[in-house]
Amino acid sequence: MLKNKIFELCVKLITLISFVILFSIILFILKEAYPLFSQMNIKDFLLGDRWRPVSARPSMGIFNIIMGTIYVGFVGVLLAFPIGIGTSIFLSCIIPKKLRDNLKPIINLLAAIPSVIYGFIGLVIVVKFFENLEMASGESVLAGGIVLSVMVLPFMIGISEETMSKLRKKYEGASINLGVSKYYMISELILPSSIKSIFVSLVLSLGRAFGETMAVMMVIGNAPIFPRILGKAQTISSLIALEMGMVEIGSLHYNGLFASAVVLILMIFFINVGINYFSYKFIGDNL
């Protein structure tokens, strides 16, 4: 009995410490970002298209960088979608359980590879490939999207495959008794019933893509211009990673980088709220 109370107390204490640390980090970021908005309109910051914090007439608008973050994230998720769903079907419905149990750890290993490794591979393979096509520069939104698509695959496959495996167990017996083929069962029963979890996997992958820094920074070109699929762009996370190390502490530029971090946190926060909402509303305990 005493052990249970000590365990409960430890869990509550650890949870409280976690919340305090998280709250302190958010409070620090807001505190460092606030001075910017005492000297600059929020609208100009969010909708301005020029990021020149160290010029003679400094301007700090991150609209192009926000669009770059969204653009690269969506390109990565869209490229990963057919591969992720196809792999989920293959693992859950096509191959034997023993082989699936051997392949899943290999796919999960993709999530454990450091992002700098993905960035390096993207730099020497994807960017070089585009350069060989006589593009002005191989660094582009498409190159960033291709690298991101590989990085989000484990998240997409993990959620979709788990749901499809449960649905296969649910429908397989009845389908065999009725003489329904496996591919009819997949196309008419499993895939339609998995739509909601597939959507959740897309949203989760998008949140992962928005927050990725190193790999994208190495292949996207880091130019704060409006993004085009074969042109350079910059994301919020790469902006912070590139400029935070050389900025003067307490300067407007410094505050602008923290304000950019606030924007990125809000974007990911709303995505996480969306995940929880759709998970609760659509998936619940049914799958």
Side-chain angles (χ1 to χ4, degrees), residues 9-24:
L9 184 63
C10 289
V11 170
K12 287 181 178 176
L13 185 63
I14 292 170
T15 306
L16 179 64
I17 292 172
S18 301
F19 273 108
V20 169
I21 292 173
L22 180 62
F23 182 74
S24 301

Side-chain angles (χ1 to χ4, degrees), residues 146-208:
I146 291 172
V147 173
L148 271 180
S149 67
V150 179
M151 298 180 72
V152 301
L153 272 178
F155 301 93
M156 195 175 290
I157 293 171
I159 296 175
S160 302
E161 188 274 332
E162 187 177 346
T163 301
M164 290 178 186
S165 294
K166 291 178 181 177
L167 289 169
R168 180 189 176 183
K169 288 179 184 175
K170 182 178 179 181
Y171 292 121
E172 190 171 37
S175 297
I176 291 173
N177 291 334
L178 292 171
V180 174
S181 71
K182 178 184 286 187
Y183 294 98
Y184 185 87
M185 177 185 73
I186 293 171
S187 62
E188 301 298 325
L189 292 174
I190 294 179
L191 268 180
S193 301
S194 304
I195 289 296
K196 294 161 187 172
S197 65
I198 289 173
F199 177 74
V200 172
S201 74
L202 286 174
V203 178
L204 181 65
S205 302
L206 197 59
R208 172 75 176 85

Side-chain angles (χ1 to χ4, degrees), residues 24-202:
S24 301
I25 292 172
I26 293 174
L27 196 64
F28 175 76
I29 294 173
L30 290 174
K31 173 181 166 292
E32 297 299 317
Y34 178 74
L36 175 81
F37 300 115
S38 64
Q39 301 183 41
M40 186 176 182
N41 192 300
I42 294 178
K43 182 181 174 185
D44 293 337
F45 178 70
L46 293 176
L47 300 181
D49 58 359
R50 292 185 178 181
W51 178 262
R52 296 174 182 170
V54 292
S55 66
R57 298 180 61 186
S59 59
M60 282 187 281
I62 62 165
F63 179 74
N64 290 340
I65 301 171
I66 292 174
M67 292 307 297
T69 306
I70 296 172
Y71 207 162
V72 175
F74 272 101
V75 170
V77 170
L78 287 176
L79 290 176
F81 178 71
I83 302 171
I85 301 308
T87 306
S88 301
I89 294 172
F90 180 73
L91 289 174
S92 60
C93 303
I94 306 297
I95 60 176
K97 184 177 181 304
K98 188 176 180 181
L99 181 57
R100 179 175 74 231
D101 292 341
N102 291 326
L103 288 177
K104 279 183 70 175
I106 298 173
I107 293 173
N108 292 335
L109 189 64
L110 290 174
I113 297 174
S115 59
V116 68
I117 302 296
Y118 283 108
F120 180 72
I121 294 172
L123 199 60
V124 298
I125 296 177
V126 181
V127 172
K128 286 291 179 188
F129 173 77
F130 286 125
E131 286 177 349
N132 291 335
L133 294 180
E134 299 184 354
M135 289 174 55
S137 169
E139 297 169 326
S140 62
V141 169
L142 183 56
I146 291 172
V147 173
L148 271 180
S149 67
V150 179
M151 298 180 72
V152 301
L153 272 178
F155 301 93
M156 195 175 290
I157 293 171
I159 296 175
S160 302
E161 188 274 332
E162 187 177 346
T163 301
M164 290 178 186
S165 294
K166 291 178 181 177
L167 289 169
R168 180 189 176 183
K169 288 179 184 175
K170 182 178 179 181
Y171 292 121
E172 190 171 37
S175 297
I176 291 173
N177 291 334
L178 292 171
V180 174
S181 71
K182 178 184 286 187
Y183 294 98
Y184 185 87
M185 177 185 73
I186 293 171
S187 62
E188 301 298 325
L189 292 174
I190 294 179
L191 268 180
S193 301
S194 304
I195 289 296
K196 294 161 187 172
S197 65
I198 289 173
F199 177 74
V200 172
S201 74
L202 286 174

Side-chain angles (χ1 to χ4, degrees), residues 181-251:
S181 71
K182 178 184 286 187
Y183 294 98
Y184 185 87
M185 177 185 73
I186 293 171
S187 62
E188 301 298 325
L189 292 174
I190 294 179
L191 268 180
S193 301
S194 304
I195 289 296
K196 294 161 187 172
S197 65
I198 289 173
F199 177 74
V200 172
S201 74
L202 286 174
V203 178
L204 181 65
S205 302
L206 197 59
R208 172 75 176 85
F210 281 177
E212 176 51 41
T213 304
M214 186 59 70
V216 174
M217 187 174 72
M218 293 172 71
V219 300
I220 200 174
N222 302 301
I225 56 178
F226 193 83
R228 292 180 295 108
I229 189 71
L230 296 178
K232 293 183 178 182
Q234 188 165 35
T235 64
I236 296 175
S237 53
S238 64
L239 169 75
I240 296 169
L242 277 173
E243 300 188 7
M244 187 57 80
M246 57 185 180
V247 70
E248 180 185 351
I249 295 176
S251 65

